Amino acid sequence: MNQFDIVFEAITSRRSVRGFLPEPVSDELISKILSAASYAPSGSNIQPWKVHVVTGAKRDELSRLLLDAFERKLPESREYDYYPVQWRSPYIDRRRETGWGLYEILGIKKGDREASSQQHGRNYQFFGAPVVLIFTIDKDLEQGSWLDYGMFLQSIMIAARGCGLHTCPQAALANYPDIVKSTLGIGNDQTVVCGISMGYEDTTCVANQFRPERIPLEDFVIFHS
Ligand SMILES: Cc1cc2nc3c(=O)[nH]c(=O)nc-3n(C[C@H](O)[C@H](O)[C@H](O)COP(=O)(O)O)c2cc1C
């Protein structure tokens, strides 16, 4: 594989992994990934990201607290709308197809609330990953900085591939921002953006067979000449 093919391979082999091995990832490797990702572009180079690397006992504590909130059905208090307030086609259709696709592979039947809730709860166990990255942004930054943030997040996930690691980006980790902030000592001048679970893939995990399809190019690209 030449150096250009490697770039394409890193991008297309990134997928959301929902089953990790407990094998730890060294702080050196995590730093290498974050350092590479910091080359992501941002308007005027303002670099609006802040990352909390959570491993070991702190990871377990955060998982326990989030899972407890989820199981006790505490109200979610996200600090921003991630999804449209009013769902419509074609987005709702794609969302449903993706959701049911995963559940089908897992053998979860429509209407089986217990099983789907259990699978959702796996978010708060970081799908078994030994590393969870929590991302925050200053509350007074604007939409442009959120655009920058997306580029940074994708760079982390691609750089992780370069180290043989996999990731799962998780908006679910912004569902209980108060818990995240109090556990990690994050001030209220910050918004919790999302998290990324990271580690080595458990290739025996059925959920990892799931590969949601992409819409064809002609559905989203217009060439002008
Ligand atoms: C910002 C962001 C938040 C996401 N949040 C979650 C989440 O909370 N839980 C989850 O299982 N997947 C989450 N995903 C993963 C998406 O479901 C996934 O990216 C999409 O289905 C496409 O699949 P792929 O990443 O495997 O290519 C999130 C993705 C992004 C980009």
Side-chain angles (χ1 to χ4, degrees):
M1 206 184 289
N2 73 36
Q3 57 177 326
F4 301 112
D5 291 338
I6 289 170
V7 175
F8 279 81
E9 174 63 19
I11 293 173
T12 54
S13 70
R14 186 223 53 83
R15 58 197 157 78
S16 297
V17 157
R18 296 185 181 85
F20 293 88
L21 298 172
E23 193 178 334
V25 181
S26 70
D27 284 354
E28 288 71 30
L29 205 53
I30 300 168
S31 299
K32 183 178 168 181
I33 291 165
L34 294 175
S35 164
S38 75
Y39 283 84
S42 59
S44 300
N45 197 29
I46 73 167
Q47 304 165 75
W49 32 77
K50 284 199 173 62
V51 188
H52 292 258
V53 179
V54 191
T55 58
K58 219 22 161 189
R59 172 224 177 269
D60 296 347
E61 182 189 356
L62 184 62
S63 171
R64 188 170 41 76
L65 293 169
L66 289 173
L67 192 60
D68 180 64
F70 172 70
E71 287 177 348
R72 287 198 290 137
K73 298 185 172 33
L74 293 188
E76 295 177 358
S77 54
R78 303 183 54 82
E79 296 169 289
Y80 68 99
D81 283 329
Y82 182 61
Y83 287 116
V85 177
Q86 194 68 47
W87 280 99
R88 65 172 171 82
S89 198
Y91 307 111
I92 184 69
D93 314 316
R94 292 177 193 158
R95 175 176 215 218
R96 284 194 180 123
E97 196 179 320
T98 303
W100 289 123
L102 176 62
Y103 280 12
E104 197 180 335
I105 279 189
L106 292 169
I108 300 174
K109 302 254 178 316
K110 252 186 191 170
D112 187 345
R113 280 165 182 260
E114 177 58 32
S116 53
S117 165
Q118 258 193 15
Q119 175 59 26
H120 190 66
R122 300 267 303 141
N123 272 288
Y124 304 112
Q125 296 163 312
F126 316 130
F127 302 110
V131 182
V132 61
L133 306 173
I134 297 289
F135 301 94
T136 70
I137 188 169
D138 291 9
K139 275 202 167 134
D140 57 349
L141 291 180
E142 299 291 353
Q143 285 185 27
S145 296
W146 286 73
L147 193 63
D148 300 337
Y149 221 118
M151 300 185 205
F152 175 62
L153 296 173
Q154 169 76 339
S155 298
I156 291 173
M157 294 187 277
I158 302 300
R161 292 304 300 124
C163 299
L165 295 166
H166 274 285
T167 53
C168 187
Q170 290 173 261
L173 300 183
N175 283 346
Y176 305 103
D178 294 347
I179 292 176
V180 170
K181 286 180 186 177
S182 62
T183 310
L184 303 180
I186 298 170
N188 232 342
D189 59 326
Q190 298 292 300
T191 295
V192 178
V193 176
C194 67
I196 290 183
S197 292
M198 184 165 79
Y200 295 96
E201 178 183 7
D202 177 357
T203 53
T204 67
C205 175
V206 182
N208 292 339
Q209 292 167 11
F210 181 53
R211 300 273 189 286
E213 285 181 11
R214 296 305 196 254
I215 56 172
L217 230 57
E218 54 269 28
D219 285 6
F220 71 100
V221 181
I222 301 160
F223 285 92
H224 300 266
S225 59

PDB file of all heavy atoms in Angstrom, residues 14-16 18 82 98 123 127 168-172 212 214, ligand 1:
ATOM      1  N   ARG A  14     -12.262   3.645   9.553  1.00  0.00           N
ATOM      2  CA  ARG A  14     -12.862   4.186  10.780  1.00  0.00           C
ATOM      3  C   ARG A  14     -14.336   3.848  10.797  1.00  0.00           C
ATOM      4  O   ARG A  14     -15.041   4.010   9.817  1.00  0.00           O
ATOM      5  CB  ARG A  14     -12.687   5.718  10.849  1.00  0.00           C
ATOM      6  CG  ARG A  14     -13.182   6.260  12.201  1.00  0.00           C
ATOM      7  CD  ARG A  14     -14.002   7.523  12.076  1.00  0.00           C
ATOM      8  NE  ARG A  14     -15.105   7.433  11.163  1.00  0.00           N
ATOM      9  CZ  ARG A  14     -16.311   6.913  11.464  1.00  0.00           C
ATOM     10  NH1 ARG A  14     -16.580   6.447  12.668  1.00  0.00           N
ATOM     11  NH2 ARG A  14     -17.266   6.858  10.528  1.00  0.00           N
ATOM     12  N   ARG A  15     -14.785   3.322  11.874  1.00  0.00           N
ATOM     13  CA  ARG A  15     -16.214   3.043  12.043  1.00  0.00           C
ATOM     14  C   ARG A  15     -16.474   3.055  13.538  1.00  0.00           C
ATOM     15  O   ARG A  15     -15.518   2.995  14.330  1.00  0.00           O
ATOM     16  CB  ARG A  15     -16.588   1.701  11.405  1.00  0.00           C
ATOM     17  CG  ARG A  15     -15.829   0.539  11.943  1.00  0.00           C
ATOM     18  CD  ARG A  15     -15.911  -0.683  11.009  1.00  0.00           C
ATOM     19  NE  ARG A  15     -14.801  -1.567  11.235  1.00  0.00           N
ATOM     20  CZ  ARG A  15     -14.682  -2.416  12.246  1.00  0.00           C
ATOM     21  NH1 ARG A  15     -15.653  -2.505  13.137  1.00  0.00           N
ATOM     22  NH2 ARG A  15     -13.627  -3.161  12.384  1.00  0.00           N
ATOM     23  N   SER A  16     -17.729   3.124  13.894  1.00  0.00           N
ATOM     24  CA  SER A  16     -18.049   3.170  15.322  1.00  0.00           C
ATOM     25  C   SER A  16     -18.024   1.753  15.872  1.00  0.00           C
ATOM     26  O   SER A  16     -18.862   0.929  15.512  1.00  0.00           O
ATOM     27  CB  SER A  16     -19.419   3.814  15.524  1.00  0.00           C
ATOM     28  OG  SER A  16     -19.381   5.143  15.057  1.00  0.00           O
ATOM     29  N   ARG A  18     -18.438  -0.829  18.914  1.00  0.00           N
ATOM     30  CA  ARG A  18     -19.238  -0.864  20.152  1.00  0.00           C
ATOM     31  C   ARG A  18     -18.948  -2.112  20.973  1.00  0.00           C
ATOM     32  O   ARG A  18     -19.830  -2.685  21.612  1.00  0.00           O
ATOM     33  CB  ARG A  18     -20.736  -0.743  19.801  1.00  0.00           C
ATOM     34  CG  ARG A  18     -21.071   0.593  19.150  1.00  0.00           C
ATOM     35  CD  ARG A  18     -22.545   0.789  18.900  1.00  0.00           C
ATOM     36  NE  ARG A  18     -22.832   2.070  18.262  1.00  0.00           N
ATOM     37  CZ  ARG A  18     -22.787   2.302  16.955  1.00  0.00           C
ATOM     38  NH1 ARG A  18     -22.492   1.319  16.117  1.00  0.00           N
ATOM     39  NH2 ARG A  18     -23.043   3.513  16.482  1.00  0.00           N
ATOM     40  N   TYR A  82     -28.498  18.309  19.689  1.00  0.00           N
ATOM     41  CA  TYR A  82     -27.652  17.623  18.710  1.00  0.00           C
ATOM     42  C   TYR A  82     -28.479  17.308  17.461  1.00  0.00           C
ATOM     43  O   TYR A  82     -28.005  17.455  16.344  1.00  0.00           O
ATOM     44  CB  TYR A  82     -27.069  16.341  19.321  1.00  0.00           C
ATOM     45  CG  TYR A  82     -26.143  15.604  18.369  1.00  0.00           C
ATOM     46  CD1 TYR A  82     -24.996  16.235  17.897  1.00  0.00           C
ATOM     47  CD2 TYR A  82     -26.418  14.321  17.940  1.00  0.00           C
ATOM     48  CE1 TYR A  82     -24.147  15.591  17.007  1.00  0.00           C
ATOM     49  CE2 TYR A  82     -25.578  13.674  17.056  1.00  0.00           C
ATOM     50  CZ  TYR A  82     -24.439  14.309  16.594  1.00  0.00           C
ATOM     51  OH  TYR A  82     -23.615  13.668  15.722  1.00  0.00           O
ATOM     52  N   THR A  98     -30.499   3.055  10.415  1.00  0.00           N
ATOM     53  CA  THR A  98     -29.265   2.801  11.165  1.00  0.00           C
ATOM     54  C   THR A  98     -29.582   2.137  12.501  1.00  0.00           C
ATOM     55  O   THR A  98     -28.953   1.142  12.882  1.00  0.00           O
ATOM     56  CB  THR A  98     -28.498   4.131  11.390  1.00  0.00           C
ATOM     57  OG1 THR A  98     -28.252   4.711  10.109  1.00  0.00           O
ATOM     58  CG2 THR A  98     -27.182   3.903  12.089  1.00  0.00           C
ATOM     59  N   ASN A 123     -23.519   2.480  26.265  1.00  0.00           N
ATOM     60  CA  ASN A 123     -22.856   3.772  26.053  1.00  0.00           C
ATOM     61  C   ASN A 123     -22.117   4.211  27.311  1.00  0.00           C
ATOM     62  O   ASN A 123     -21.019   4.741  27.251  1.00  0.00           O
ATOM     63  CB  ASN A 123     -23.891   4.848  25.708  1.00  0.00           C
ATOM     64  CG  ASN A 123     -24.179   4.945  24.219  1.00  0.00           C
ATOM     65  OD1 ASN A 123     -23.345   5.419  23.446  1.00  0.00           O
ATOM     66  ND2 ASN A 123     -25.352   4.469  23.818  1.00  0.00           N
ATOM     67  N   PHE A 127     -18.685   0.972  26.118  1.00  0.00           N
ATOM     68  CA  PHE A 127     -18.592  -0.246  25.302  1.00  0.00           C
ATOM     69  C   PHE A 127     -17.356  -1.073  25.670  1.00  0.00           C
ATOM     70  O   PHE A 127     -16.787  -1.758  24.819  1.00  0.00           O
ATOM     71  CB  PHE A 127     -18.609   0.101  23.800  1.00  0.00           C
ATOM     72  CG  PHE A 127     -19.835   0.858  23.368  1.00  0.00           C
ATOM     73  CD1 PHE A 127     -19.761   2.196  23.006  1.00  0.00           C
ATOM     74  CD2 PHE A 127     -21.080   0.235  23.338  1.00  0.00           C
ATOM     75  CE1 PHE A 127     -20.899   2.903  22.623  1.00  0.00           C
ATOM     76  CE2 PHE A 127     -22.220   0.924  22.952  1.00  0.00           C
ATOM     77  CZ  PHE A 127     -22.126   2.259  22.596  1.00  0.00           C
ATOM     78  N   CYS A 168     -15.405   5.069  19.221  1.00  0.00           N
ATOM     79  CA  CYS A 168     -16.839   5.313  19.031  1.00  0.00           C
ATOM     80  C   CYS A 168     -17.139   6.722  19.541  1.00  0.00           C
ATOM     81  O   CYS A 168     -16.981   6.995  20.740  1.00  0.00           O
ATOM     82  CB  CYS A 168     -17.703   4.296  19.787  1.00  0.00           C
ATOM     83  SG  CYS A 168     -19.469   4.492  19.376  1.00  0.00           S
ATOM     84  N   PRO A 169     -17.537   7.624  18.625  1.00  0.00           N
ATOM     85  CA  PRO A 169     -17.937   8.955  19.094  1.00  0.00           C
ATOM     86  C   PRO A 169     -19.279   8.825  19.800  1.00  0.00           C
ATOM     87  O   PRO A 169     -20.134   8.058  19.349  1.00  0.00           O
ATOM     88  CB  PRO A 169     -18.065   9.765  17.792  1.00  0.00           C
ATOM     89  CG  PRO A 169     -18.374   8.750  16.732  1.00  0.00           C
ATOM     90  CD  PRO A 169     -17.743   7.450  17.181  1.00  0.00           C
ATOM     91  N   GLN A 170     -19.493   9.559  20.891  1.00  0.00           N
ATOM     92  CA  GLN A 170     -20.731   9.365  21.662  1.00  0.00           C
ATOM     93  C   GLN A 170     -21.326  10.681  22.153  1.00  0.00           C
ATOM     94  O   GLN A 170     -20.827  11.283  23.104  1.00  0.00           O
ATOM     95  CB  GLN A 170     -20.437   8.458  22.870  1.00  0.00           C
ATOM     96  CG  GLN A 170     -20.137   7.014  22.487  1.00  0.00           C
ATOM     97  CD  GLN A 170     -19.686   6.239  23.707  1.00  0.00           C
ATOM     98  OE1 GLN A 170     -18.492   6.041  23.914  1.00  0.00           O
ATOM     99  NE2 GLN A 170     -20.626   5.814  24.523  1.00  0.00           N
ATOM    100  N   ALA A 171     -22.425  11.074  21.508  1.00  0.00           N
ATOM    101  CA  ALA A 171     -23.184  12.216  22.008  1.00  0.00           C
ATOM    102  C   ALA A 171     -23.850  11.839  23.330  1.00  0.00           C
ATOM    103  O   ALA A 171     -24.135  12.709  24.163  1.00  0.00           O
ATOM    104  CB  ALA A 171     -24.222  12.639  20.984  1.00  0.00           C
ATOM    105  N   ALA A 172     -24.090  10.551  23.536  1.00  0.00           N
ATOM    106  CA  ALA A 172     -24.736  10.087  24.781  1.00  0.00           C
ATOM    107  C   ALA A 172     -23.948  10.550  26.008  1.00  0.00           C
ATOM    108  O   ALA A 172     -24.535  10.744  27.079  1.00  0.00           O
ATOM    109  CB  ALA A 172     -24.859   8.563  24.776  1.00  0.00           C
ATOM    110  N   PRO A 212     -23.169   0.538   8.787  1.00  0.00           N
ATOM    111  CA  PRO A 212     -24.237   1.309   8.136  1.00  0.00           C
ATOM    112  C   PRO A 212     -23.778   1.836   6.775  1.00  0.00           C
ATOM    113  O   PRO A 212     -22.652   2.310   6.646  1.00  0.00           O
ATOM    114  CB  PRO A 212     -24.511   2.439   9.113  1.00  0.00           C
ATOM    115  CG  PRO A 212     -23.357   2.485  10.035  1.00  0.00           C
ATOM    116  CD  PRO A 212     -22.694   1.155  10.009  1.00  0.00           C
ATOM    117  N   ARG A 214     -23.694   4.089   3.214  1.00  0.00           N
ATOM    118  CA  ARG A 214     -23.692   5.515   2.902  1.00  0.00           C
ATOM    119  C   ARG A 214     -24.570   5.770   1.678  1.00  0.00           C
ATOM    120  O   ARG A 214     -24.727   4.898   0.820  1.00  0.00           O
ATOM    121  CB  ARG A 214     -22.270   6.001   2.618  1.00  0.00           C
ATOM    122  CG  ARG A 214     -21.334   5.885   3.835  1.00  0.00           C
ATOM    123  CD  ARG A 214     -21.915   6.602   5.052  1.00  0.00           C
ATOM    124  NE  ARG A 214     -20.918   6.845   6.089  1.00  0.00           N
ATOM    125  CZ  ARG A 214     -20.822   6.187   7.244  1.00  0.00           C
ATOM    126  NH1 ARG A 214     -21.683   5.227   7.534  1.00  0.00           N
ATOM    127  NH2 ARG A 214     -19.897   6.501   8.120  1.00  0.00           N
TER     128      ARG A 214
HETATM  129  C1  LIG B   1     -20.973  13.331  17.176  1.00  0.00           C
HETATM  130  C2  LIG B   1     -21.435  11.887  17.135  1.00  0.00           C
HETATM  131  C3  LIG B   1     -22.152  11.363  18.184  1.00  0.00           C
HETATM  132  C4  LIG B   1     -22.510  10.006  18.187  1.00  0.00           C
HETATM  133  N1  LIG B   1     -23.118   9.484  19.304  1.00  0.00           N
HETATM  134  C5  LIG B   1     -23.272   8.153  19.409  1.00  0.00           C
HETATM  135  C6  LIG B   1     -23.706   7.580  20.634  1.00  0.00           C
HETATM  136  O1  LIG B   1     -23.998   8.283  21.599  1.00  0.00           O
HETATM  137  N2  LIG B   1     -23.785   6.225  20.725  1.00  0.00           N
HETATM  138  C7  LIG B   1     -23.461   5.426  19.659  1.00  0.00           C
HETATM  139  O2  LIG B   1     -23.542   4.195  19.816  1.00  0.00           O
HETATM  140  N3  LIG B   1     -23.059   5.935  18.478  1.00  0.00           N
HETATM  141  C8  LIG B   1     -22.931   7.276  18.336  1.00  0.00           C
HETATM  142  N4  LIG B   1     -22.459   7.818  17.166  1.00  0.00           N
HETATM  143  C9  LIG B   1     -22.077   6.938  16.047  1.00  0.00           C
HETATM  144  C10 LIG B   1     -23.019   7.005  14.863  1.00  0.00           C
HETATM  145  O3  LIG B   1     -24.157   6.225  15.119  1.00  0.00           O
HETATM  146  C11 LIG B   1     -22.236   6.483  13.644  1.00  0.00           C
HETATM  147  O4  LIG B   1     -21.190   7.363  13.356  1.00  0.00           O
HETATM  148  C12 LIG B   1     -23.103   6.342  12.395  1.00  0.00           C
HETATM  149  O5  LIG B   1     -24.117   5.402  12.583  1.00  0.00           O
HETATM  150  C13 LIG B   1     -22.244   5.918  11.191  1.00  0.00           C
HETATM  151  O6  LIG B   1     -21.589   4.697  11.482  1.00  0.00           O
HETATM  152  P1  LIG B   1     -20.002   4.536  11.488  1.00  0.00           P
HETATM  153  O7  LIG B   1     -19.437   5.563  12.454  1.00  0.00           O
HETATM  154  O8  LIG B   1     -19.773   3.122  11.980  1.00  0.00           O
HETATM  155  O9  LIG B   1     -19.491   4.766  10.118  1.00  0.00           O
HETATM  156  C14 LIG B   1     -22.176   9.182  17.091  1.00  0.00           C
HETATM  157  C15 LIG B   1     -21.522   9.761  15.984  1.00  0.00           C
HETATM  158  C16 LIG B   1     -21.154  11.070  16.001  1.00  0.00           C
HETATM  159  C17 LIG B   1     -20.412  11.657  14.819  1.00  0.00           C
END
